[in-house]
Amino acid sequence: MASRMRIRAKAADGVTEVKALMSHPMETGQRKDAEGNPIPAHYITEVTALHNDKVVLQAYWGAAVSQNPFLHFRFKGGAEGDTVTIKWVDNKGESQSDDTKI
Amino acid sequence: MNHHRRTFLKLGGAAFGAVATAALWPLRAIAAAVRPNAAFEATALDGAYKQLGGTPAESADIDLSTPDIAENGAVVPVSVTSKLPGTEAIYILIEKNPNPLAAGFMIPEGTEPFVSVRVKVAQTCNVIAVVKAGGKLYSAAKETKVTLGGCGG
């Protein structure tokens, strides 16, 4: 979780395209380690994307989202220099927030 | 004496009822702002549908894009585009996963009804996109064949 989220936001024709790559194990809790002990679940439960201060996407995830989740969406508006922020919270209460300029 | 107490209780009850109803309203309005935990915990498709608000009607206005064959079930790209007017939410469900609901996306006004993520698919089964538009649920399904399970061995 130390590594920064990779976010790319590009505005074209009045629509901003956002692609984000988060760094997270997304452990389902169903797997077992080499000794057969279950690996506790550890996954992102909520993702919020903001354009400046406005929420443009609110996502709720289960453990079925792949490891190091990739998210791609588009919102109307957005101009060069605007800020796109992506935040996540996981089931252990850990969180991360990173932003980028369009 | 007792009669008065009854009246008081009745009044109190009615007042409480009104307050409770009033308090429920804003909750409903922001229902989408709370993670539908019960839906995520459902272990079968029917249960997940129930928690999301009912069995969706099939719709041709949802574009669901998944690979026909996924070599690695742990990373299956899924894209959903809804052409339904008034799309409020997009859910992605994997029919045979231990918990079918994989992800839900609340689409505020101004955001295009399109999302793309990568999900785990435990075994060959239908990937289902459920779209909530105008308060109703619609769905589209597509089978994805998995050659290597999503549980990572």
Side-chain angles (χ1 to χ4, degrees):
Chain A
M1 268 116 287
S3 66
R4 228 183 109 83
M5 230 184 286
R6 281 164 61 192
I7 310 169
R8 264 196 298 176
K10 267 188 194 166
D13 304 323
V15 173
T16 303
E17 182 147 33
V18 182
K19 290 182 184 180
L21 191 60
M22 292 155 236
S23 170
H24 199 283
M26 296 302 284
E27 197 57 67
T28 59
Q30 313 240 357
R31 292 202 309 160
K32 292 185 170 74
D33 64 15
E35 279 92 54
N37 303 312
I39 303 170
H42 187 199
Y43 57 93
I44 294 176
T45 54
E46 291 187 25
V47 182
T48 311
L50 300 122
H51 166 227
N52 291 334
D53 287 328
K54 182 180 170 261
V55 174
V56 286
L57 188 74
Q58 174 74 53
Y60 301 107
W61 286 356
V65 173
S66 299
Q67 187 178 25
N68 296 333
F70 169 77
L71 172 66
H72 178 187
F73 70 99
R74 294 188 272 259
F75 65 88
K76 291 189 185 79
E80 236 173 274
D82 286 359
T83 305
V84 171
T85 309
I86 295 188
K87 300 179 193 178
W88 59 250
V89 179
D90 69 20
N91 65 327
K92 290 186 178 175
E94 290 166 8
S95 64
Q96 188 178 350
S97 171
D98 277 309
D99 54 52
T100 189
K101 295 260 187 269
I102 295 176
Chain B
M1 192 165 64
N2 249 338
H3 180 74
H4 280 288
R5 189 166 171 270
R6 282 297 122 205
T7 319
F8 172 77
L9 279 178
K10 248 189 208 162
L11 269 174
F16 176 76
V19 169
T21 319
L24 270 177
W25 264 106
L27 260 182
R28 290 217 153 195
I30 58 157
V34 178
R35 187 175 187 265
N37 286 324
F40 275 104
E41 280 157 21
T43 50
L45 209 52
D46 285 352
Y49 282 160
K50 213 178 188 180
Q51 296 299 332
L52 291 176
T55 305
E58 272 181 47
S59 168
D61 289 324
I62 302 168
D63 275 351
L64 171 63
S65 159
T66 64
D68 294 327
I69 298 175
E71 274 184 29
N72 182 357
V75 189
V76 180
V78 177
S79 299
V80 183
T81 310
S82 163
K83 284 177 259 170
L84 294 160
T87 295
E88 301 155 34
I90 296 175
Y91 299 96
I92 295 170
L93 293 94
I94 320 295
E95 190 185 4
K96 288 187 182 163
N97 269 11
N99 303 108
L101 182 58
F105 301 88
M106 306 304 129
I107 313 289
E109 214 162 304
T111 297
E112 295 200 351
F114 156 82
V115 283
S116 174
V117 280
R118 295 178 193 153
V119 297
K120 297 168 201 160
V121 180
Q123 54 180 300
T124 299
C125 68
N126 278 329
V127 172
I128 303 155
V130 173
V131 171
K132 189 178 183 189
K136 285 191 181 145
L137 295 171
Y138 301 91
S139 73
K142 189 169 175 274
E143 194 188 54
T144 294
K145 284 198 168 63
V146 176
T147 47
L148 183 70
C151 300

